[in-house]
């Protein structure tokens, strides 16, 4: 993902005082404990500057698509030269869940672990005492972390034992929305291939009728793309738990509420949602959904995007940014642009997910880490303004210079970034090639204006983007009764969704959906909803603290 850029705002001083109190209570040394015989750890200076001896950390990324290596580009070499830290990334070769579950079963983790904040494994690692509390590591080794960490993020991720085990990237609090909200964009888009869309008259695809007609028209006009069959409609990959495109993406395009009158709403049973699922079923019946979409994984999808074989995609725009640049270089009219997509019966504008306080990923430090002190110092560096600037801009004089009082990439660096993101990552490694702890608010002060082909899809989402932090972290996970029930329901949905889309008639669809609701009920849906309602209400109280 390439999530955008915003600068971190200061929260009320009372929050910082509360954070300091929480982080200096309950065991684990004092903030003035000796780092070694020569240097004292203090809150006034980052600890990493006192020890820059070479060290290599193993860092697990739960993203099989991540292609980059540390130490082969100019930016990561610069960070290693500056801090002494090298990184050995460990990335699953295939199924992420299988790799992660194998590691969890072994009871031993690499030094750092980064995964999606909502993954069940986060709770398993914390409950299994496989990761260390960041606040206690900071108290003992590097109290500078307490000074620079965002109090809202620390408070949000604080567990019932009072400790914070993970720190997010791309995270925005409600206060950040007040400060930067007008600049926030969403990754949730309905994209169409520009030249094909214009060739069929730029149809309105907001209604089921207009949507199906457009797909039919484009298939008739462009049955093949460079000798390969056209794929009229593309989605995210289908997994054991479902498909992003048919869940939050479609639900948000239809502006279906998360709650009504303070009570969480069953969005999947909404009649507008059912209406559109049946529309996609009808599209499949009419031969407008290729079989590829049910089996392709991200690498295959990226290849087909680069070939321009999809007409429309309900998809995360940043996931094919590299392919967009390739298409743009060949022919600017062959790129994908964002347009109004599926809408509810009232044609309300979509309510797209913007950045939330949970962020995108969360990074944790393993109990097996080879050097606790250097690990927390490196994490402090990465979340600091200095670390974020280094990983975004690289080394001054080599990748960027000051221009009119603002940092700017050198022309040749900016040109490669705009032309070939993959080559840019390999050569320069800047612009958050290494995004694990990027602060997208802080980054607003350095980021250059967006250019095509990124600009149009970003701009389209502005004004449609909403903050949904209050609904984050409410899903039960782990081995609790609610967590097990939630996992079972996810699996039931994952098996049901393709069947709904492949159903031969609306009647068969209705039977399948009724069976899903009954199987969901038997699996424990009511207790899952009760858990989520309570967690949602607790989130509202947390958020209220941030906005005082």
């Amino acid at each position: 993902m390439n999530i955008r850029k915003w600068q971190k705002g200061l929260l009320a001083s009372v929050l910082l005082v509360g954070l300091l109190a929480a982080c200096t209570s309950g065991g684990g040394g004092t903030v003035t404990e000796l780092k070694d015989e020569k240097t004292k750890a203090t809150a006034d200076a980052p600890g990493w500057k006192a020890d820059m001896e070479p060290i290599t950390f193993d860092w697990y990324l739960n993203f099989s698509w991540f292609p980059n290596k540390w130490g082969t580009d100019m930016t990561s070499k610069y960070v290693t030269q500056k801090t002494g830290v090298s990184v050995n990334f460990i990335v699953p070769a295939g199924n992420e869940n299988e790799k992660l579950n194998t590691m969890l079963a072994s009871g031993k983790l690499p030094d750092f672990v980064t995964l999606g904040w909502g993954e069940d494994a986060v709770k398993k690692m914390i409950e299994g005492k496989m990761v260390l509390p960041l606040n206690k590591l900071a108290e003992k080794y590097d109290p500078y972390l307490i000074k620079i960490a965002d109090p809202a993020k620390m408070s949000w991720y604080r567990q019932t034992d009072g400790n914070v085990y993970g720190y997010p990237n791309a995270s925005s609090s409600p206060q950040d929305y007040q400060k930067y909200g007008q600049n926030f964009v969403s990754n949730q888009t309905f994209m169409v291939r520009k030249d094909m869309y214009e060739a069929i008259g730029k149809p309105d695809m907001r209604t089921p009728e207009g949507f199906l007609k457009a797909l039919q028209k484009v298939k008739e006009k462009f049955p093949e793309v460079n000798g390969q069959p056209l794929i009229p409609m593309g989605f995210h990959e289908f997994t054991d738990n479902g498909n992003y495109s048919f869940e939050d993406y479609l639900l948000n395009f239809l502006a279906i509420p998360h709650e009504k009158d303070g009570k969480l709403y069953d969005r999947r049973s909404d009649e507008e949602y059912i209406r559109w699922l049946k529309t996609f079923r009808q599209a499949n019946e009419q031969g407008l959904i290729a079989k590829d979409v049910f089996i392709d994984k991200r690498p295959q999808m990226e290849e087909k995007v680069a070939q321009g074989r999809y007409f429309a995609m309900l998809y995360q725009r940043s996931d094919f940014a590299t392919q967009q640049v390739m298409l743009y270089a060949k022919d600017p009219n062959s790129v994908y642009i964002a347009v109004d997509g599926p809408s509810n019966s009232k044609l309300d504008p979509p309510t797209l997910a913007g950045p939330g306080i949970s962020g995108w990923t969360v990074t944790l430090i393993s109990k097996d880490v080879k050097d606790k002190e250097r690990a927390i110092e490196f994490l402090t560096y990465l979340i600091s303004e200095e670390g974020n600037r280094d990983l975004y801009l690289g080394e001054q004089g080599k990748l960027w210079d000051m221009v009119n009082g603002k940092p700017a990439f050198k022309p040749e660096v900016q040109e490669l970034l705009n032309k070939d993101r993959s080559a840019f990552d390999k050569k320069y490694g800047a612009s958050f090639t290494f995004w694990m702890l990027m602060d997208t608010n802080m980054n607003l002060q350095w980021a250059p204006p967006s250019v095509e082909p990124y600009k149009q899809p970003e701009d389209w989402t502005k004004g449609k983007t909403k903050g949904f932090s209050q609904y984050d972290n409410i899903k039960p996970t782990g081995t609790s009764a609610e967590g097990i029930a939630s996992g079972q329901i996810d699996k039931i949905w994952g098996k049901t969704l393709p069947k709904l889309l492949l159903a031969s008639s609306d009647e068969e669809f209705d039977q399948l959906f009724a069976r899903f609701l009954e199987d969901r009920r038997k699996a424990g849906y009511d207790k899952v909803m009760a858990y989520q309602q309570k967690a949602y209400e607790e989130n509202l109280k947390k958020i209220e603290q941030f906005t005082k």
Side-chain angles (χ1 to χ4, degrees):
M1 282 190 203
N2 177 17
I3 309 179
R4 288 298 147 223
K5 28 218 184 275
W6 307 281
Q7 182 180 354
K8 180 172 69 178
L10 291 175
L11 295 173
S13 60
V14 64
L15 282 175
L16 183 56
V17 172
L19 174 65
L20 286 166
C23 290
T24 53
S25 62
T30 69
V31 296
T32 56
E33 181 168 338
L34 286 176
K35 283 171 57 64
D36 53 39
E37 291 182 2
K38 297 180 181 178
T39 316
K40 244 179 199 180
T42 74
D44 298 322
W48 66 266
K49 292 189 175 183
D51 186 356
M52 291 176 276
E53 289 297 312
I55 187 171
T56 299
F57 286 115
D58 294 325
W59 194 319
Y60 176 75
L61 297 176
N62 198 42
F63 300 92
S64 60
W65 50 262
F66 184 78
N68 300 303
K69 305 291 184 185
W70 187 275
T72 61
D73 60 273
M74 293 172 68
T75 295
S76 61
K77 285 179 180 177
Y78 168 60
V79 171
T80 294
Q81 180 185 6
K82 185 173 185 175
T83 65
V85 177
S86 297
V87 176
N88 171 42
F89 285 119
I90 301 169
V91 179
N95 185 292
E96 287 94 346
N97 288 335
E98 288 180 7
K99 174 71 173 177
L100 193 54
N101 288 335
T102 299
M103 287 198 312
L104 293 176
S106 75
K108 192 169 178 61
L109 297 173
D111 302 307
F112 288 85
V113 177
T114 295
L115 67 170
W117 65 260
E119 297 287 341
D120 189 46
V122 175
K123 189 167 185 179
K124 288 180 180 176
M125 286 188 282
I126 294 172
E127 288 180 344
K129 301 189 184 305
M130 300 175 72
V131 289
L132 298 172
L134 303 182
N135 53 297
K136 289 191 174 180
L137 287 175
E139 178 186 338
K140 186 172 184 180
Y141 298 116
D142 194 10
Y144 190 71
L145 172 68
I146 309 306
K147 181 177 181 178
I148 64 160
D150 188 320
K153 296 173 188 177
M154 294 289 276
S155 177
W156 185 257
Y157 275 100
R158 185 167 292 118
Q159 303 296 310
T160 54
D161 65 2
N163 292 319
V164 179
Y165 294 87
Y167 200 85
N169 74 351
S171 166
S172 292
S173 69
Q175 268 206 341
D176 290 327
Y177 265 85
Q178 294 173 12
K179 191 168 184 179
Y180 311 110
Q182 71 275 13
N183 295 314
F184 284 176
V185 295
S186 177
N187 267 327
Q188 298 181 338
T189 47
F190 179 70
M191 307 280 278
V192 294
R193 193 171 140 167
K194 184 175 183 290
D195 49 4
M196 292 182 181
Y197 183 65
E198 291 173 349
I200 61 172
K202 299 182 180 179
D204 185 344
M205 300 180 71
R206 293 178 298 169
T207 66
E209 299 76 22
F211 178 83
L212 291 170
K213 189 175 180 181
L215 293 187
Q216 189 67 54
K217 202 169 181 179
V218 82
K219 187 180 180 184
E220 290 170 0
K221 195 170 184 69
F222 302 99
E224 290 188 345
V225 178
N226 296 324
Q228 301 266 33
L230 174 79
I231 304 172
M233 187 71 217
F235 315 101
H236 280 272
E237 66 181 76
F238 284 82
T239 71
D240 292 342
N241 296 334
N243 185 308
Y244 292 147
S245 298
F246 291 100
E247 286 140 32
D248 278 353
Y249 283 59
L250 181 56
L251 290 162
N252 290 347
F253 263 85
L254 302 180
I256 295 173
H258 287 77
E259 54 87 18
K260 290 186 176 181
D261 300 321
K263 297 294 181 185
L264 291 178
Y265 181 56
D266 180 11
R267 302 176 87 201
R268 275 188 188 151
S269 295
D270 188 274
E271 60 183 22
E272 298 280 4
Y273 182 58
I274 301 299
R275 174 171 169 252
W276 270 96
L277 284 183
K278 286 184 174 180
T279 300
F280 285 108
R281 185 212 68 76
Q282 190 176 346
N284 182 69
E285 185 181 20
Q286 295 177 5
L288 301 174
I289 296 181
K291 296 295 180 274
D292 307 47
V293 304
F294 293 100
I295 56 175
D296 281 351
K297 299 301 181 185
R298 180 163 165 171
Q300 290 79 41
M301 296 166 70
E302 288 178 348
E303 182 181 353
K304 289 170 182 176
V305 171
Q307 296 167 347
R309 288 183 60 192
Y310 296 101
F311 164 59
M313 301 183 78
L314 188 57
Y315 206 77
Q316 179 159 271
R317 58 179 176 79
S318 60
D319 276 11
F320 61 97
T322 298
Q323 291 71 35
Q324 278 273 71
V325 171
M326 294 164 62
L327 291 170
Y328 190 78
K330 291 177 187 173
D331 178 4
N333 285 316
S334 71
V335 299
Y336 290 87
I337 59 171
V339 298
D340 294 335
S343 302
N344 62 31
S345 301
K346 297 178 182 177
L347 300 182
D348 292 325
T351 53
L352 306 177
I357 194 166
S358 293
W360 164 35
T361 68
V362 64
T363 294
L364 310 96
I365 296 177
S366 164
K367 69 173 175 58
D368 303 307
V369 65
K370 59 175 62 76
D371 189 322
K372 296 177 184 177
E373 186 170 3
R374 294 294 298 280
I376 194 65
E377 288 172 350
F378 190 52
L379 185 136
T380 300
Y381 162 74
L382 292 174
I383 69 172
S384 71
E385 182 166 327
E386 183 174 0
N388 267 262
R389 184 181 63 242
D390 289 346
L391 284 171
Y392 185 79
L393 292 170
E395 185 175 2
Q396 185 174 6
K398 292 188 176 179
L399 272 70
W400 64 277
D401 295 306
M402 293 298 291
V403 178
N404 297 324
K406 184 177 179 180
F409 284 127
K410 288 176 175 288
E412 66 273 18
V413 178
Q414 186 68 50
E415 182 182 1
L416 188 58
L417 175 61
N418 293 342
K419 190 170 84 173
D420 190 336
R421 177 73 211 213
S422 180
F424 173 91
D425 289 348
K426 288 180 173 59
K427 182 174 183 178
Y428 296 118
S431 190
F432 289 137
T433 297
F434 305 102
W435 38 256
M436 297 79 209
L437 286 159
M438 65 181 178
D439 188 317
T440 44
N441 297 318
M442 190 186 293
N443 187 49
L444 272 178
Q445 62 189 303
W446 311 308
S450 187
V451 297
E452 300 299 355
Y454 308 118
K455 187 177 187 303
Q456 189 276 340
E458 285 180 16
D459 288 348
W460 182 87
T461 68
K462 288 181 179 178
K464 305 177 182 75
T465 300
K466 309 293 180 185
F468 294 134
S469 292
Q470 63 269 39
Y471 309 111
D472 287 353
N473 275 339
I474 66 172
K475 184 177 178 179
T477 57
T479 55
S480 66
E482 296 87 356
I484 292 170
S486 180
Q488 289 175 340
I489 291 169
D490 285 346
K491 295 291 188 291
I492 294 167
W493 175 248
K495 289 180 180 177
T496 301
L497 177 60
K499 293 178 182 177
L500 293 172
L501 302 175
L502 294 167
S504 59
S505 65
D506 282 353
E507 290 73 24
E508 185 185 352
F509 179 103
D510 290 337
Q511 292 170 6
L512 288 165
F513 197 79
R515 191 180 310 150
F516 162 71
L517 293 178
E518 177 59 17
D519 290 344
R520 185 180 73 168
R521 183 192 65 79
K522 289 179 180 176
Y525 179 70
D526 287 345
K527 62 185 170 189
V528 171
M529 285 301 288
Y531 177 99
Q532 290 186 314
Q533 181 67 32
K534 183 180 178 184
Y536 161 64
E537 291 169 2
E538 289 172 353
N539 278 354
L540 290 178
K541 292 176 184 175
K542 279 187 184 181
I543 289 171
E544 189 178 345
Q545 294 174 9
F546 307 152
T547 53
K548 282 180 180 176

